[in-house]
Amino acid sequence: MTTPTTRTPRFDRGRWVQAGPETVRPGVHRIPLPLPDDGLRAVNVYALEGLTEGLVLIDGGWSIPESRKALEDALAELGHDIGEISHVLVTHIHRDHYTQAVELRRLLGSQVYLGAGERRGLELLGELRTDEPVSSLSTLRRAGAQDLADRVASMYDDGFDATVWEAPDRWLGAEELHFGDTRLTVIPTPGHTRGHVVYLDQARGLLFSGDHVLPHITPSIGFELGGPALPLGDYLDSLNLMTTLADARLLPAHGPVGDSVHARVGELLAHHDDRLAETLAALGERTRTAYEVAGELGWTRRRVSFAELGAFDQMLAVNETAAHLDVLAARGRVRRSEADGVNSYAATGV
C-alpha cells in the first residue's frame, strides 16, 4: 500500500495530474499520463530533448489509449512528434511504467532499457501468465489471511496480455548512459521492486526517482513476483544510499517535482522508523500473525481502520505489515515461527 507520511503539505496535491507538459529545466519536461480508476491518478514520464538520438523518455506509462493520446498531445505542445522517441528508460517493471514502453517500441522501434534485477520477475510473468499478484497472495496466506487471499484472487480474470511484457532491448546495471552531452547515472535501488533503478543527471542536479522516492506517499514494498526475502530492508538501504549522493531536485513518478531528494528521504526514513515502532507496539506481548497485527494499525492519511479498507488495500496493508515485522525479526526485536505454512511473530524484549 502506498501509505502517506506525516508532514505538512507543501503543494496542491491535485494540480500535478493536470494534462500537458511542465518544463523542469530547459530540455527536461514532466508529462503526467492518466491512470484511470487508480488511486495514484497519474504517472509522470519525463521527456529529454535536444539530444542527437531524438527524444528520450524516463518511464513509459501504462499501455492504454488515454495514456497514448496524452503523451502525443503533450509532445505536440512541445513541438515534437511521438515518432521522435528513440529510447525509453524504465525505472521498474510495474505496468504503469513499463507496458507503454513496449508498445512504443513496437510502433516506433524505440529502444527500451530496464534494470537487470527485473529479469526474474519478467520471466515469471511469462511462465505464470496471470495478472494475479501471486507473490502478494502467497504473503497473505503465510500471514494467516487465506480468506482475504481468496477474495483478492476472485477479482482477477484470465485476460492476461503477454504482449506488453516483452523483454527490454538492454538490461541495465550500475552504469552511465550517454545521450549526446547528457549523462545519466543508473543507480540500482531495490526495494519497491528487486530491479528498480533511478537515473541521476548530475550535471543538472536532477534525480528521476521512479517510485523509489515519492513526495507524499511511501511505495508498496515487495509487491512483485520473485521478490527478495527482506524487501523493506533493501528499500531502507536504498534510501540511505540516496543520502551518500549530492542532493538533487526530486523528479518522481507520482506527484509534483520536489526541491530536495535528501529532505524527502529523511522524511521517509523517519516514517519507517515510526512504523516499525507502531508495528512492535501493536504486536505487544502476544504471538500474532501479520494479518492480526495489520488489523491493529491505522491506514491511509486519515488513519482509518483496517476493516474500512477494500480487499485490495487490505492485501497491501498485510504485505506491508509482514515486511515491517520481518525487518524487526532481522534486527532481533521479534522472533518469527512457522506452523502449517503460517508465520507468527512474538516480541523478544530486546
Side-chain angles (χ1 to χ4, degrees):
M1 171 180 284
T2 48
T3 52
T5 50
T6 302
R7 58 179 291 194
T8 302
R10 295 200 294 260
F11 48 81
D12 179 342
R13 293 183 184 276
R15 292 182 60 190
W16 73 273
V17 305
Q18 295 175 0
E22 173 196 2
T23 298
V24 178
R25 287 276 193 276
V28 180
H29 310 279
R30 182 185 69 86
I31 301 174
L33 301 180
L35 299 176
D37 303 319
D38 190 298
L40 292 173
R41 303 181 63 192
V43 58
N44 295 324
V45 304
Y46 294 89
L48 280 58
E49 62 181 351
L51 311 177
T52 56
E53 294 84 357
L55 293 173
V56 172
L57 295 188
I58 309 290
D59 279 328
W62 191 348
S63 180
I64 52 176
E66 303 96 313
S67 179
R68 166 88 174 277
K69 184 176 189 308
L71 178 60
E72 290 178 339
D73 290 347
L75 291 178
E77 191 172 333
L78 292 169
H80 294 289
D81 182 86
I82 195 171
E84 297 175 52
I85 298 171
S86 64
H87 294 75
V88 187
L89 315 181
V90 184
T91 58
H92 63 294
I93 200 176
H94 287 165
R95 68 171 63 245
D96 56 327
H97 298 256
Y98 190 66
T99 57
Q100 187 160 254
V102 174
E103 178 188 5
L104 292 172
R105 177 176 63 187
R106 189 177 300 121
L107 292 170
L108 311 171
S110 308
Q111 297 283 296
V112 176
Y113 291 5
L114 182 66
E118 302 290 48
R119 184 190 295 266
R120 184 55 185 151
L122 193 59
E123 290 172 348
L124 284 169
L125 276 168
E127 294 168 13
L128 298 173
R129 301 182 68 83
T130 179
D131 289 322
E132 281 189 9
V134 174
S135 294
S136 293
L137 295 176
S138 295
T139 299
L140 283 184
R141 296 182 180 104
R142 290 194 303 274
Q146 179 65 55
D147 288 347
L148 177 57
D150 292 342
R151 279 192 285 135
V152 173
S154 72
M155 297 163 56
Y156 292 84
D157 56 28
D158 295 326
F160 179 74
D161 180 5
T163 65
V164 297
W165 298 114
E166 298 171 355
D169 297 283
R170 179 171 169 183
W171 295 104
L172 297 174
E175 58 187 275
E176 192 169 83
L177 303 176
H178 296 246
F179 299 99
D181 294 332
T182 297
R183 298 185 178 186
L184 297 173
T185 304
V186 184
I187 304 172
T189 49
H192 180 55
T193 67
R194 177 183 291 188
H196 193 291
V197 298
V198 300
Y199 299 94
L200 175 64
D201 184 337
Q202 189 168 2
R204 289 188 278 203
L206 304 175
L207 182 77
F208 302 93
S209 67
D211 282 4
H212 179 51
V213 183
L214 297 172
H216 55 83
I217 54 178
T218 182
S220 58
I221 300 299
F223 186 62
E224 62 171 327
L225 292 169
L230 199 64
L232 180 57
D234 290 345
Y235 179 65
L236 296 176
D237 288 345
S238 295
L239 284 179
N240 279 304
L241 175 62
M242 297 295 97
T243 68
T244 69
L245 307 172
D247 201 7
R249 292 194 75 189
L250 173 63
L251 275 60
H254 306 283
V257 171
D259 293 330
S260 168
V261 172
H262 284 184
R264 182 57 183 150
V265 165
E267 292 173 346
L268 287 166
L269 288 169
H271 164 77
H272 281 289
D273 283 344
D274 291 344
R275 201 61 171 172
L276 287 164
E278 291 175 11
T279 302
L280 187 60
L283 179 63
E285 297 181 0
R286 296 158 290 183
T287 298
R288 315 191 80 189
T289 65
Y291 181 46
E292 291 169 328
V293 175
E296 300 277 342
L297 296 170
W299 298 97
T300 79
R301 189 169 295 106
R302 296 179 292 113
R303 305 288 293 184
V304 301
S305 69
F306 182 82
E308 294 178 74
L309 301 175
F312 187 84
D313 285 338
Q314 285 186 344
M315 175 186 70
L316 296 180
V318 173
N319 274 249
E320 284 198 7
T321 303
H324 283 86
L325 286 166
D326 286 340
V327 165
L328 288 168
R331 294 179 179 180
R333 304 298 304 277
V334 306
R335 271 190 316 276
R336 185 177 62 199
S337 57
E338 185 269 333
D340 299 324
V342 175
N343 292 330
S344 296
Y345 301 83
T348 62
V350 174

